[in-house]
């Protein structure tokens, strides 16, 4: 400890006489103060809410002992409203870098114990710096959000700080993975930073996101609603689609953030990290013969198909509670990371609609940006009909998925399991929009529409004029199926590269991806495209 009477707050003239050893001891005192915060009881209050402190969260996220902090001693320079008398170290945000599974990751974490984690000028400057460092180093950025929004006492300077964050979120988009972990409140303009990142994690009961809170909603619309009811984890993971994942506690949330990072490349110039595969590449998948019903009208869970195909049955589903009629997941095949997009017959028969199209489009764009090959499992009866869908823009919003696939240059393999009807067949990465390989099982039915609907249209007059319309209709359905919907019709015309035995699905996909590993495709020279909105 420093010599008696010599502390971190000693007068300048007295401190000028200190030895280097005493100055090092002073530095440790200052660091201790920075780590503990201004109010020791603030940590107790944080824990009482069921929340960890910022430093505890960083310790859970990063490999043990790997964190290097930046600007620990930063303090704000604002005055007025009592700020000049309260200048804590860190200014309410902890920034730095460490490793996750041995790879560099940058992080910033709001410290709710200091100013409620509110963002001021110095606070924002620290975040800007760590974001710039992440972009320059080509490493993922994780934000641990637990803040009360802009620091009102600093006025417009705080708002400008958010602008700098948004600008950097956009600059980093498609360059480095960006993950937002919501561990407390996030209101007003602050909510736009997570919305600009690649993945959003939330914790039930403790994290909320909204542009205008319950009080404003009540004053403007008269509606009564709680914070969680307005913008809680389950609302955003199942209803709005703002959050990709929801958890019951911070520990399991941060554990899955680590797992997600293990599947992602550090930046857009690298391939995803490969892992040793214990699951045999040539393992047969005969269980698929029983998992998928022969009757195209019967439902099944596509997740069981994915489990059978991928390494050790492990996959990480994105948006599992939102737009459940399509499944998007990251997994591995023979140790290599793949993105899987699959229609889900167990939910709305696997039709494409507004939400499922937008969900899949964003996932496809992410995989393409970060060199993750795409495998598309197709079992789709078409687009969801209805006035609501049409009036809410199924044309432009469904086109987002079409645009995403057409624009993707990563290896792309599509596999038709059963039915693939109409425009939905085209949109689900068909050969005609650029899939590198289009495969199908012998149970496939690729057509403009189902046989029943087609027969009703093509033969309506003949059916109506017959003595037994139903018998004639059934006969015409059989004729249509035999002529235009047999499993080899598309293959005979070069629209399907091969019809494969379902038991060979895993092996065929792995061999195909190995062949495509060195694929290189250039897009036309342009500033950027103009995707449908």
């Amino acid at each position: 400890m420093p010599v008696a009477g010599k502390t971190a707050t000693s007068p300048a003239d007295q401190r000028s006489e200190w030895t280097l050893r005493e100055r090092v001891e002073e530095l440790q005192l200052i660091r201790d103060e920075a780590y503990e915060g201004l109010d020791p009881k603030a940590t107790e209050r944080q824990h009482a809410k069921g929340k960890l402190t910022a430093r505890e969260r960083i310790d859970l996220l990063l490999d043990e002992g790997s964190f290097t902090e930046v600007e620990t001693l930063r303090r704000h320079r604002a005055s007025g409203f009592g700020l000049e008398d309260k200048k804590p170290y860190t200014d309410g945000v902890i920034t730095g870098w460490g490793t996750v599974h041995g790879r560099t990751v940058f992080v910033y974490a709001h410290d709710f114990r200091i100013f409620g984690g509110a963002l001021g000028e110095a606070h924002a400057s620290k975040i800007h710096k760590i974001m710039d460092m992440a972009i320059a180093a080509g490493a993922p950025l994780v934000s641990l959000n637990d803040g009360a929004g802009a620091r009102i006492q600093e006025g417009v300077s705080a708002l400008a700080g958010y602008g700098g964050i948004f600008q950097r979120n956009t600059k980093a988009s498609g360059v480095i993975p960006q993950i937002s972990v919501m561990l407390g409140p996030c209101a007003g303009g602050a909510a736009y930073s997570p919305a600009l990142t690649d993945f959003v994690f939330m914790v039930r009961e403790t994290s909320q996101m909204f542009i205008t809170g319950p009080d404003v909603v009540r004053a403007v619309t008269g509606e009564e609603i709680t914070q969680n009811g307005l913008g809680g984890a389950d609302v955003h993971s199942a209803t709005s689609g703002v959050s990709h994942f929801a958890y019951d506690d911070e520990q399991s949330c941060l554990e899955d953030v680590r797992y997600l990072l293990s599947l992602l490349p550090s930046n857009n110039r690298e391939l995803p990290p490969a892992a040793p595969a214990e699951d045999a590449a040539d393992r047969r998948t005969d269980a698929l013969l029983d998992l998928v019903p022969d009757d195209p009208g019967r439902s099944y869970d596509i997740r069981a198909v994915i489990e059978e195909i991928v390494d050790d049955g492990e996959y990480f589903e994105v948006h599992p509670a939102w737009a459940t009629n399509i499944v998007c997941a990251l997994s591995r095949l023979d140790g290599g990371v793949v993105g899987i997009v699959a229609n889900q017959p167990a939910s709305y028969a696997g039709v494409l609609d507004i939400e499922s199209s937008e969900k899949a489009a964003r996932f496809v764009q992410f995989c393409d940006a970060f060199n993750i090959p795409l495998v598309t499992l197709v079992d789709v009866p078409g687009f969801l009909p209805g006035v609501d869908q049409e009036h809410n823009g199924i044309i432009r919003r469904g086109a987002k998925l079409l645009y995403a696939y057409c624009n993707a240059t990563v290896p792309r393999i599509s596999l038709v399991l059963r039915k693939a009807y109409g425009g939905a067949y085209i949109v689900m990465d068909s050969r005609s929009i650029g899939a590198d390989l289009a495969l199908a099982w012998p149970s496939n039915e690729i057509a403009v529409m189902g046989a029943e609907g087609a027969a009703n249209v093509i033969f309506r007059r003949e059916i109506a004029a017959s003595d037994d319309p139903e018998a004639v209709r059934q006969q015409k359905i059989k004729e249509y199926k035999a002529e235009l919907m047999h499993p080899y019709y598309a293959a005979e015309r070069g629209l399907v590269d091969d019809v494969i035995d379902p038991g060979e699905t895993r092996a065929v996909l792995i061999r195909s991806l190995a062949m495509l590993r060195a694929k290189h495709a250039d897009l036309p020279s342009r500033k950027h495209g103009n995707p449908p909105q």
Side-chain angles (χ1 to χ4, degrees):
M1 297 294 291
V3 178
K6 296 181 179 180
T7 68
T9 57
S10 296
D13 59 347
Q14 183 177 343
R15 291 166 64 188
S16 65
E17 301 174 0
W18 287 9
T19 65
L20 179 57
R21 188 178 299 279
E22 289 172 328
R23 290 184 181 278
V24 169
E25 291 172 346
E26 178 196 31
L27 173 62
Q28 187 57 51
L29 284 176
I30 292 174
R31 289 190 180 279
D32 290 344
E33 181 182 333
Y35 295 157
E36 293 172 6
L38 291 178
D39 182 3
K41 293 184 178 180
T43 299
E44 298 176 13
R45 290 194 294 269
Q46 186 82 342
H47 288 164
K49 296 176 183 176
K51 297 164 65 176
L52 300 175
T53 65
R55 295 186 184 280
E56 289 170 339
R57 291 163 175 165
I58 291 173
D59 287 343
L60 284 176
L61 172 67
L62 300 178
D63 297 337
E64 184 176 358
S66 69
F67 183 55
T68 298
E69 190 169 349
V70 176
E71 294 194 345
T72 310
L73 307 185
R74 187 69 180 268
R75 305 165 96 170
H76 72 77
R77 297 175 294 179
S79 60
F81 306 101
L83 286 177
E84 63 275 11
D85 299 322
K86 192 175 183 181
K87 295 188 175 185
Y89 293 111
T90 74
D91 200 47
V93 64
I94 300 167
T95 59
W97 74 88
T99 60
V100 173
H101 302 298
R103 295 192 301 145
T104 300
V105 172
F106 287 80
V107 61
Y108 68 86
H110 299 292
D111 190 344
F112 198 83
R113 304 173 307 162
I114 297 174
F115 298 130
L119 183 138
E121 185 178 17
H123 182 120
S125 178
K126 289 182 64 176
I127 295 175
H128 297 168
K129 180 173 183 175
I130 210 66
M131 295 179 79
D132 289 340
M133 291 176 69
I135 295 169
L141 174 71
V142 178
S143 62
L144 305 179
N145 298 270
D146 186 8
R151 195 174 299 169
I152 299 172
Q153 300 95 317
E154 294 194 30
V156 72
S157 296
L159 291 178
Y162 276 122
I165 293 173
F166 304 157
Q167 190 270 341
R168 287 168 174 82
N169 284 139
T170 304
K171 180 180 178 181
S173 181
V175 178
I176 58 171
Q178 299 180 84
I179 298 173
S180 297
V181 188
M182 315 311 295
L183 301 168
C186 184
Y192 283 115
S193 177
L196 289 169
T197 61
D198 299 306
F199 297 102
V200 177
F201 290 71
M202 293 187 75
V203 176
R204 294 182 179 92
E205 302 303 322
T206 59
S207 60
Q208 303 88 28
M209 297 173 65
F210 36 69
I211 299 300
T212 55
D215 293 341
V216 176
V217 170
R218 185 185 308 111
V220 174
T221 69
E223 297 171 289
E224 293 284 346
I225 193 166
T226 64
Q227 286 194 348
N228 281 319
L230 182 63
D234 288 323
V235 168
H236 285 312
S237 63
T239 303
S240 73
V242 171
S243 174
H244 299 77
F245 312 98
Y247 297 86
D248 291 328
D249 58 81
E250 296 187 18
Q251 289 86 349
S252 58
C253 175
L254 292 169
E255 182 179 345
D256 266 6
V257 174
R258 285 176 57 87
Y259 181 57
L260 174 58
L261 286 166
S262 74
L263 296 169
L264 305 181
S266 293
N267 56 66
N268 64 343
R269 300 183 302 276
E270 298 181 4
L271 294 175
E278 298 180 0
D279 198 347
D282 59 353
R283 171 174 57 81
R284 285 191 60 83
T285 51
D286 292 317
L288 296 175
L289 295 167
D290 298 317
L291 286 174
V292 179
D294 295 325
D295 180 357
R298 285 182 58 194
S299 69
Y300 63 95
D301 192 341
I302 194 66
R303 295 183 182 92
V305 174
I306 296 171
E307 287 177 9
E308 179 64 19
I309 294 172
V310 302
D311 292 357
D312 303 310
E314 294 183 359
Y315 64 95
F316 191 58
E317 186 174 355
V318 176
H319 270 316
W322 182 61
T324 54
N325 41 326
I326 202 159
V327 171
C328 299
L330 293 167
S331 189
R332 293 183 183 275
L333 282 170
D334 198 29
V337 178
V338 295
I340 298 173
V341 180
N343 303 112
Q344 173 57 294
S347 177
Y348 300 103
V351 296
L352 285 177
D353 60 3
I354 286 171
E355 291 186 346
S356 62
S357 297
E358 292 188 331
K359 168 181 169 178
R362 186 87 194 287
F363 182 74
V364 168
Q365 288 174 173
F366 175 82
C367 289
D368 185 49
F370 290 103
N371 310 310
I372 300 173
L374 287 161
V375 173
T376 303
L377 305 179
V378 186
D379 191 347
V380 61
F383 280 94
L384 180 66
V387 174
D388 182 65
Q389 288 288 305
E390 297 293 345
H391 286 188
N392 283 290
I394 183 62
I395 295 173
R396 64 179 173 83
R397 296 163 81 174
K400 291 181 180 182
L401 180 54
L402 180 61
Y403 188 99
Y405 269 127
C406 289
N407 204 47
T409 60
V410 292
R412 292 156 51 189
I413 301 174
S414 66
L415 172 62
V416 178
L417 309 186
R418 292 194 310 184
K419 57 191 175 295
Y421 297 157
Y425 153 64
I426 300 296
V427 170
M428 289 296 293
D429 204 20
S430 64
R431 180 66 180 272
S432 61
I433 65 169
D436 296 296
L437 283 173
L439 307 173
W441 285 355
S443 52
N444 80 82
E445 292 184 357
I446 303 173
V448 175
M449 62 176 65
E452 291 80 1
N456 288 337
V457 172
I458 298 172
F459 306 108
R460 63 182 183 278
R461 291 181 180 176
E462 188 176 341
I463 292 171
S466 68
D467 295 332
D468 188 349
E470 182 57 28
V472 172
R473 192 174 75 86
Q474 292 300 323
Q475 177 60 33
K476 295 303 180 182
I477 289 172
K478 290 180 181 179
E479 291 179 9
Y480 185 85
K481 283 186 175 181
E483 183 69 23
L484 296 176
M485 293 182 65
H486 65 79
Y488 308 105
Y489 183 86
E492 290 170 359
R493 283 151 183 80
L495 298 174
V496 167
D497 292 295
D498 198 10
V499 178
I500 67 171
D501 174 358
E504 297 178 350
T505 299
R506 172 177 165 82
V508 170
L509 289 176
I510 288 173
R511 288 199 302 269
S512 301
L513 288 168
M515 177 273 294
L516 290 166
R517 187 173 296 124
K519 174 188 175 183
H520 177 75
D522 289 321
L523 291 172
S525 178
R526 60 184 175 185
K527 188 174 182 180
H528 57 73
N530 187 24
Q533 297 299 319

